Amino acid sequence: MTSDRPLRIVTFLAPNIRPVYEAVAAYVGERLGVPVELVDGSSFDSFASGEADAGFICGLPYVRLAHQDPPPVEVLAAPVLDGERYGGRPVYFSDVIVNRDSPCRSFAGLRGRSWAYNDPDSHSGYNVTRYRLIQMGETGGFFGRVVEAGYHQRAIRLVAAGAGSAEDERVDASAIDSQVLAVELRDHPELAARLRVIDVLGPSTIQPVVAARRLPDRLKADLRAALLAMGDDARYRPRLAHGLVDRFVAVEDGTYDDIREMLAAAEERSFLTLK
């Protein structure tokens, strides 16, 4: 951060949760008394280069960044989602979806089927899927076709398209971030009638809010304090609730050891490409 520009918060996460990120940016600016801008992230190098001061990132790129020497980011906080399945913890799931008319009833039944993932830097759509295949002893050739959808919302629609669509416009299954899926089905209820959840992967530690390590310690502490206080502000609770967020809680590097261990399992087996 420099004196000639606002505090810059970047998001690398799902577009349908953006209203929550916008609310966080507004609240941080209000509480800290500084101008804040929210921008879409394009490179994780932006934290080290000075272009990004804080951000919403997936747990998988976080553990990779944390492995650098020195790490360019540090974790501040993470959301707790509203819902009994989350147990008041900063976790989420990857819901495995198929078309309502699919004959598949389990993950094992997807052998030879087509699969969509959102992005190879995604834990919820990629890393946790690899880990399930490792647990099954399947480290190559399980799926018949693998498609990079670009983001979860497109993967949802590829699955919802069903057998009547052209092959390049549909897939049999995908693992979707449970927060993203719930918001998408709420906002587009017509999709709910075309999908089924056949398995659940996780829980996994949910995506953190990070700060660039180069920021002054006082500013990082103020950012963390703002995040932890936001859930108690009645003006902002409805905006958090739009994304099913109840509050933010403090997390530390070790909180993400579950994701770190799943990545290590894939690296140990040279199972880095989902095929």
Side-chain angles (χ1 to χ4, degrees):
M1 179 179 179
T2 61
S3 58
D4 59 349
R5 70 160 175 82
L7 183 76
R8 184 170 295 154
I9 301 177
V10 299
T11 173
F12 291 89
L13 301 182
N16 72 346
I17 314 296
R18 188 180 176 92
V20 171
Y21 313 144
E22 292 171 347
V24 171
Y27 183 79
V28 166
E30 178 182 305
R31 185 174 173 100
L32 272 60
V34 298
V36 176
E37 65 176 356
L38 177 72
V39 300
D40 293 323
S42 59
S43 171
F44 297 113
D45 293 338
S46 61
F47 293 105
S49 69
E51 298 175 25
D53 303 308
F56 304 92
I57 68 173
C58 182
L60 178 59
Y62 167 70
V63 300
R64 287 172 171 157
L65 290 170
H67 187 67
Q68 296 180 19
D69 187 16
V73 298
E74 60 183 71
V75 289
L76 297 177
V80 172
L81 300 181
D82 186 30
E84 185 176 347
R85 73 188 299 197
Y86 303 107
R89 299 179 295 153
V91 299
Y92 70 127
F93 298 85
S94 294
D95 292 329
V96 180
I97 59 170
V98 297
N99 190 273
R100 179 70 64 177
D101 298 327
S102 171
C104 297
R105 294 291 185 271
S106 67
F107 195 101
L110 296 173
R111 181 184 298 278
R113 300 280 182 167
S114 55
W115 178 269
Y117 65 89
N118 54 330
D119 184 281
D121 283 323
S122 167
H123 174 72
S124 61
Y126 201 86
N127 192 47
V128 75
T129 303
R130 284 187 314 201
Y131 189 67
R132 168 56 68 87
L133 291 171
I134 288 170
Q135 290 178 309
M136 295 169 60
E138 302 282 355
T139 55
F142 180 79
F143 297 117
R145 180 169 64 98
V146 177
V147 176
E148 181 175 350
Y151 51 99
H152 277 307
Q153 288 147 281
R154 180 166 182 263
I156 292 169
R157 283 159 177 78
L158 288 173
V159 176
S165 303
E167 185 178 34
D168 61 352
E169 296 176 351
R170 63 177 174 84
V171 294
D172 292 308
S174 183
I176 307 296
D177 176 317
S178 59
Q179 179 189 20
V180 174
L181 181 63
V183 169
E184 197 68 5
L185 297 187
R186 179 199 66 197
D187 294 346
H188 302 276
E190 72 280 2
L191 291 172
R194 293 151 58 187
L195 299 170
R196 283 188 294 111
V197 174
I198 62 168
D199 203 348
V200 177
L201 311 181
S204 302
T205 306
I206 200 166
Q207 302 94 338
V209 185
V210 301
R213 184 170 291 273
R214 58 181 168 75
L215 294 183
D217 289 343
R218 176 61 184 271
L219 178 55
K220 288 184 285 191
D222 288 345
L223 284 168
R224 180 180 288 108
L227 290 165
L228 301 187
M230 186 176 178
D232 294 325
D233 192 314
R235 297 168 304 149
Y236 280 89
R237 286 193 63 83
R239 298 180 68 178
L240 291 178
H242 178 84
L244 309 182
V245 175
D246 179 67
R247 65 190 186 278
F248 287 89
V249 295
V251 291
E252 57 188 26
D253 179 71
T255 309
Y256 291 86
D257 282 349
D258 60 328
I259 295 175
R260 193 172 276 120
E261 289 167 5
M262 293 185 209
L263 175 60
E267 291 174 340
E268 287 169 6
R269 292 160 178 81
S270 299
F271 185 36
L272 302 180
T273 303
L274 190 61
K275 291 183 179 179

